[in-house]
Amino acid sequence: MSITFDQVQKSFILQAKNSTYIIKILRDKYLAHVYWGGKIPDPSVKHIENSTSRSSFSACQDEEGKFSLDNRPCEYPSYGNTDLRMPAYQIQLPNGTRITDLSYVSYEIIQGKPELKGLPAVYTEAAAEADTLLITLSDELIGLEVVLSYTVFQDYDAVIRSAKIVNKGNSGLKLLRALSMSIDFDCADFDMMSLSGSWARERHVVRRPLVNGTQSIESRRGASGHSENPFMALLSREATETAGDVYGFSFVYSGNFFAGAEVDQYKTTRVVMGINPFDFSWLLEPGEAFQTPEVVMVYSGRGLGDMSRTYHRLYRNRLARGKFRNALRPVVINNWEATYFDFNEEKLKAIAKDASKLGIEMLVLDDGWFGRRNSDNCSLGDWYVNLEKLPGGLKALADAVNEYGMGFGLWFEPEMISPDSDLYRAHPDWCLHVPDRHRSLGRNQLILDLTRKDVQDTVIDMISGVLSGANITYVKWDMNRNMSEIGSGLLPPERQMETAHRYMLGLYRVMETITGSFPDILFESCSGGGGRFDPGILYYMPQNWTSDDTDGVERLKIQYGTSMVYPGSVMTAHVSAVPNHQTGRNTSLEFRGHVAMAGNFGYELDVTTMTEEEKAAVKIQVEIYKEMRSLIQHGDFYRLLSPFDGNVTAWMYVSEDKKDAAVFFYRVLTTPNDALFRFKLAGLKEDAGYRVNGGEAVIGGAQLMNYGINIPAELGRGDFKSRLYRLKMKE
Ligand code: DGJ
């Protein structure tokens, strides 16, 4: 049992693989946070608690004037009493007041991990994999109950938290804030890390020291967004890739979120994460419950790399689902950058024919195959094939592609509606909108109101109809704008601020239904590249188009940052043509190939216009990738040199048994007469010998990790150079 209740210490002890989490009931009423960090097999809680009475302006809970929650570490802090830091939740009562006061009631420890109905969540396959602690708190005066959930896996250093808020009273409660977790650290000597960026520049690593006040990241965009990923970490100041304390927080949700760290007057740090309280409220009628999404909290005492590998394994094995969770992903060719909207059946068949000869396994037909769509200004919602472009329909095209021995995949943007579409003309009220207000367009389109069941059902029927009509084995599910004028035609005024979250619940239902009905289709999510690259989506779709930016140099930072949380099996990465369509940069085919091979590999170019020499190079790249595909998709990832620190980047994958490894090295710009250079590998077996690139010499794991690899002189001239080293352990 990894969770126990210590009667004497009135404490819950949660033991993960190498870490411990401790909660204590204070004064038989308050739930206090005691510890989260490296493993303490047999903790003495009274020697861990670190509190002092403070003279301060805060009020006190007790008659003696000694006990204030403002200087106690809390687990799920309320608003309105003596704790004046960020609360975890806030509720408005029918009389307008916002004061609640939760008391500890009971606990339950269960094997496994209960599902979060209608929400994406990490899961167990066997009950013995994890234990879950459910702590019930209540405010009897108003009939409020809060059930906090903590799951600890045997094999992962993760604590997974969520909260369920239940109205057991007789009148409606309005949630103004319902975060998923809160935790208090007794110090503030941390850096905060986030993954920040923009379209075509997603998930760059940003690290800053914590200072007094609140530092936060959030989304108000109706999607997790390009600009901030729903992830943050606190790092001890000296923490590196390989050493130091790291506390990661990853939100399993795809909509508006808030993640903040508040350093208070006493230099303690409160971290909270959950649905963004901005423009959110939720009316909870008597008997109803509100379930928050969950936060996956990962601790590592061995730096960022170890934290990332925990997320990678957990998300690969217990968040992704379905047959493609473990299946090898196909090498894809996508026609977007090859043709944009300008294609026909002959062109696509020509691409498929040439691609099949190079070993590519799947043609994905991108935007422009439906309605009258020859540019991005119409037809979203009209999911019937454009017979002018594809006279034989999708079936004939899919069959022809299959004849070349390739699978056929199709692009959709199911959540959107173009004002110039038959669907909009029939149902102008089916988009998110506010009565009498201008409907702002993004990429010439509006967003379908997925809070409505009739709209959800229509989307499910339309997409399912297309998928049933041809041999489609891959879907790219795109989403190309954020929300504006957020409102729903069917919700009453007092529920309008539920729209953004109800949209996500509707989206999850649509995704669950469609992916569940087509288990043999590999679904890839996309949102103008990586605008919704989050764990919520991964529960439904096991891979994600990492960025619309396919430039090899830019991708180094994007993929490096993405790897903080997400494994290679999730990141789609394609080789595109040069000059690159996003940056205008020319890089070698080899360099672009080596960058893309570090993820789910494919191409995004017109293979029919390539020279024979280029085609031969592509054929070799595809062979190289296939030989190591299992390693890339299932191996452990080690970041070696950061593109954020300079001109060189390196990373590697190591198989679980450490017999197989692939090391990628990239140098962006050359420097004449540069210093000698070598870099150290990681994750290998110290006392094993490895052959490098099939050579005769056998080099010890210890040498490769302590001395490293010399960068050869022939890499000296020219920009955008890269090397791939395949390492095989000598049997
Ligand atoms: C945005 C995506 O990120 C691209 O890959 C492409 O699918 C376009 N949308 C199509 O409109």
Side-chain angles (χ1 to χ4, degrees):
M1 186 61 91
S2 52
I3 302 176
T4 48
F5 180 62
D6 183 326
Q7 290 284 357
V8 178
Q9 309 191 81
K10 292 243 173 9
S11 296
F12 300 98
I13 320 282
L14 288 69
Q15 299 289 13
K17 196 175 171 207
N18 295 305
S19 54
T20 300
Y21 191 103
I22 304 174
I23 305 161
K24 176 168 179 149
I25 306 163
L26 282 184
R27 300 184 168 217
D28 290 331
K29 176 173 164 82
Y30 305 105
L31 215 55
H33 178 74
V34 175
Y35 176 77
W36 182 32
K39 191 146 196 160
I40 306 176
D42 192 10
S44 161
V45 174
K46 81 167 187 256
H47 293 106
I48 296 177
E49 279 179 279
N50 193 4
S51 70
T52 178
S53 53
R54 302 271 191 185
S55 39
S56 84
F57 264 50
S58 326
C60 290
Q61 299 282 136
D62 59 343
E63 300 300 325
E64 302 84 52
K66 293 219 161 85
F67 181 77
S68 171
L69 289 172
D70 210 28
N71 53 43
R72 296 285 164 161
C74 301
E75 274 297 304
Y76 200 69
S78 305
Y79 165 75
N81 304 308
T82 61
D83 187 346
L84 302 179
R85 294 164 290 178
M86 286 187 290
Y89 73 98
Q90 190 189 17
I91 291 174
Q92 187 167 34
L93 310 181
N95 65 7
T97 59
R98 282 100 45 226
I99 311 303
T100 58
D101 191 13
L102 289 174
S103 300
Y104 170 78
V105 177
S106 62
Y107 77 91
E108 193 186 350
I109 298 170
I110 53 177
Q111 273 212 324
K113 180 171 186 290
E115 273 182 35
L116 299 190
K117 215 169 155 284
L119 284 169
V122 164
Y123 59 89
T124 51
E125 285 199 328
E129 289 177 6
D131 291 320
T132 298
L133 166 67
L134 299 170
I135 300 178
T136 301
L137 311 168
S138 113
D139 181 342
E140 279 187 5
L141 189 68
I142 57 169
L144 168 70
E145 185 178 279
V146 174
V147 182
L148 301 181
S149 170
Y150 299 79
T151 298
V152 194
F153 277 80
Q154 314 282 349
D155 289 338
Y156 303 94
D157 275 309
V159 178
I160 296 149
R161 287 189 59 177
S162 66
K164 187 164 86 177
I165 301 174
V166 191
N167 184 353
K168 296 211 153 170
N170 301 320
S171 45
L173 298 175
K174 194 168 203 178
L175 309 189
L176 302 176
R177 181 179 179 97
L179 300 181
S180 300
M181 55 76 49
S182 174
I183 187 170
D184 287 337
F185 294 86
D186 63 358
C187 65
D189 304 324
F190 294 114
D191 286 346
M192 170 177 157
M193 173 182 277
S194 59
L195 303 175
S196 312
S198 72
W199 173 79
R201 193 169 35 76
E202 296 92 335
R203 292 173 297 286
H204 280 208
V205 175
V206 176
R207 183 172 175 169
R208 66 200 114 175
L210 285 188
V211 293
N212 278 58
T214 301
Q215 28 261 284
S216 61
I217 50 164
E218 64 186 307
S219 166
R220 293 182 294 272
R221 318 184 74 87
S224 46
H226 294 91
S227 45
E228 298 290 353
N229 199 255
F231 164 79
M232 70 180 260
L234 292 193
L235 288 67
S236 56
R237 289 263 154 86
E238 76 292 351
T240 63
E241 267 302 303
T242 51
D245 285 330
V246 180
Y247 301 86
F249 303 87
S250 167
F251 193 31
V252 187
Y253 189 61
S254 313
N256 294 340
F257 71 91
F258 178 85
E262 179 179 3
V263 177
D264 79 343
Q265 54 191 330
Y266 310 123
K267 300 272 183 207
T268 72
T269 306
R270 170 165 294 173
V271 174
V272 299
M273 191 175 236
I275 293 174
N276 199 335
F278 177 82
D279 202 39
F280 165 86
S281 72
W282 195 275
L283 190 58
L284 212 52
E285 297 292 0
E288 287 182 352
F290 181 87
Q291 173 64 57
T292 73
E294 67 186 23
V295 174
V296 176
M297 300 166 43
V298 167
Y299 166 76
S300 165
R302 285 173 296 163
L304 280 165
D306 187 53
M307 174 203 74
S308 298
R309 285 184 291 281
T310 300
Y311 277 121
H312 293 179
R313 279 188 227 117
L314 186 60
Y315 285 176
R316 231 172 27 218
N317 300 324
R318 291 294 178 267
L319 180 63
R321 299 177 297 166
K323 94 176 208 194
F324 295 98
R325 183 183 76 177
N326 300 326
L328 293 182
R329 310 288 166 77
V331 178
V332 161
I333 186 153
N334 177 299
N335 74 307
W336 180 240
E337 287 198 17
T339 66
Y340 295 102
F341 295 101
D342 185 17
F343 60 82
N344 58 27
E345 195 173 306
E346 289 319 304
K347 178 73 195 172
L348 296 171
K349 281 197 216 163
I351 292 178
K353 187 175 174 193
D354 279 11
S356 68
K357 289 185 196 151
L358 308 180
I360 296 173
E361 298 160 311
M362 174 80 64
L363 172 77
V364 177
L365 170 54
D366 212 280
D367 197 353
W369 58 265
F370 52 93
R372 291 175 294 101
R373 191 150 165 104
N374 293 312
S375 79
D376 62 17
N377 64 5
C378 73
S379 300
L380 293 170
D382 295 346
W383 299 110
Y384 43 81
V385 72
N386 179 336
L387 291 172
E388 274 173 35
K389 285 181 177 175
L390 306 174
L394 290 170
K395 180 161 181 355
L397 177 60
D399 290 347
V401 172
N402 291 163
E403 290 274 300
Y404 296 124
M406 293 174 79
F408 177 69
L410 197 59
W411 178 97
F412 289 94
E413 197 173 358
E415 300 158 63
M416 298 291 153
I417 182 165
S418 307
D420 182 4
S421 67
D422 294 342
L423 189 68
Y424 191 75
R425 282 181 279 276
H427 299 286
D429 56 332
W430 274 15
C431 61
L432 293 177
H433 68 281
V434 173
D436 305 324
R437 287 278 167 204
H438 172 68
R439 300 177 180 190
S440 304
L441 301 181
R443 209 192 188 208
N444 304 307
Q445 62 203 48
L446 295 162
I447 303 180
L448 282 168
D449 181 357
L450 290 186
T451 70
R452 297 172 58 142
K453 175 123 185 339
D454 53 351
V455 178
Q456 294 167 22
D457 289 340
T458 303
V459 171
I460 291 169
D461 289 348
M462 289 190 301
I463 305 303
S464 303
V466 177
L467 296 180
S468 308
N471 189 22
I472 296 164
T473 48
Y474 188 110
V475 163
K476 178 177 175 187
W477 182 301
D478 206 349
M479 193 283 279
N480 279 303
R481 63 158 292 179
N482 289 146
M483 291 180 184
S484 62
E485 293 93 32
I486 300 174
S488 170
L490 289 193
L491 291 174
E494 66 278 15
R495 289 193 181 274
Q496 283 296 323
M497 276 161 73
E498 300 177 9
T499 305
H501 180 55
R502 284 189 183 275
Y503 179 93
M504 296 318 306
L505 296 178
L507 173 66
Y508 289 148
R509 174 176 172 256
V510 170
M511 286 187 166
E512 178 73 17
T513 309
I514 295 178
T515 56
S517 308
F518 296 93
D520 294 327
I521 294 180
L522 170 55
F523 284 84
E524 173 182 86
S525 172
C526 172
S527 174
R532 212 166 50 185
F533 202 119
D534 58 64
I537 294 290
L538 286 182
Y539 182 69
Y540 304 96
M541 305 191 177
Q543 61 184 49
N544 209 311
W545 179 227
T546 310
S547 175
D548 274 348
D549 193 340
T550 52
D551 175 87
V553 175
E554 289 298 306
R555 275 290 185 127
L556 292 175
K557 286 184 176 159
I558 295 170
Q559 293 176 200
Y560 188 96
T562 305
S563 79
M564 284 293 159
V565 186
Y566 306 98
S569 60
V570 161
M571 280 187 241
T572 312
H574 291 171
V575 175
S576 62
V578 288
N580 178 266
H581 292 197
Q582 292 76 38
T583 61
R585 186 180 280 130
N586 282 298
T587 55
S588 70
L589 184 56
E590 183 179 51
F591 184 87
R592 282 173 276 149
H594 284 159
V595 175
M597 279 180 204
N600 280 323
F601 187 59
Y603 292 83
E604 183 109 0
L605 41 70
D606 188 353
V607 70
T608 64
T609 59
M610 289 184 121
T611 63
E612 287 310 313
E613 198 185 332
E614 286 170 332
K615 283 185 185 169
V618 167
K619 194 165 185 226
I620 292 171
Q621 285 185 342
V622 172
E623 277 163 17
I624 290 173
Y625 181 72
K626 284 181 179 169
E627 187 274 325
M628 63 181 180
R629 164 162 55 181
S630 168
L631 171 64
I632 303 292
Q633 287 174 18
H634 305 127
D636 282 329
F637 188 69
Y638 292 83
R639 290 178 293 265
L640 306 174
L641 299 168
S642 167
F644 296 98
D645 290 344
N647 197 29
V648 287
T649 300
W651 51 49
M652 68 187 285
Y653 285 94
V654 183
S655 63
E656 215 179 325
D657 62 10
K658 300 195 180 289
K659 290 186 173 168
D660 193 12
V663 182
F664 297 87
F665 172 83
Y666 313 90
R667 193 190 60 203
V668 176
L669 297 179
T670 190
T671 310
N673 254 334
D674 206 359
L676 293 175
F677 189 73
R678 67 185 152 98
F679 68 103
K680 298 175 181 180
L681 308 190
L684 302 171
K685 193 159 183 257
E686 282 201 1
D687 55 1
Y690 292 87
R691 279 189 213 287
V692 181
N693 288 341
E696 274 306 303
V698 174
I699 307 178
Q703 177 174 323
L704 290 165
M705 292 192 289
N706 292 323
Y707 175 81
I709 291 187
N710 292 329
I711 288 305
E714 68 265 28
L715 207 69
R717 286 169 68 81
D719 298 333
F720 316 122
K721 295 285 183 181
S722 58
R723 281 284 185 277
L724 166 63
Y725 302 92
R726 291 287 285 119
L727 269 53
K728 302 270 185 192
M729 190 192 282
K730 186 173 175 286
E731 296 292 339

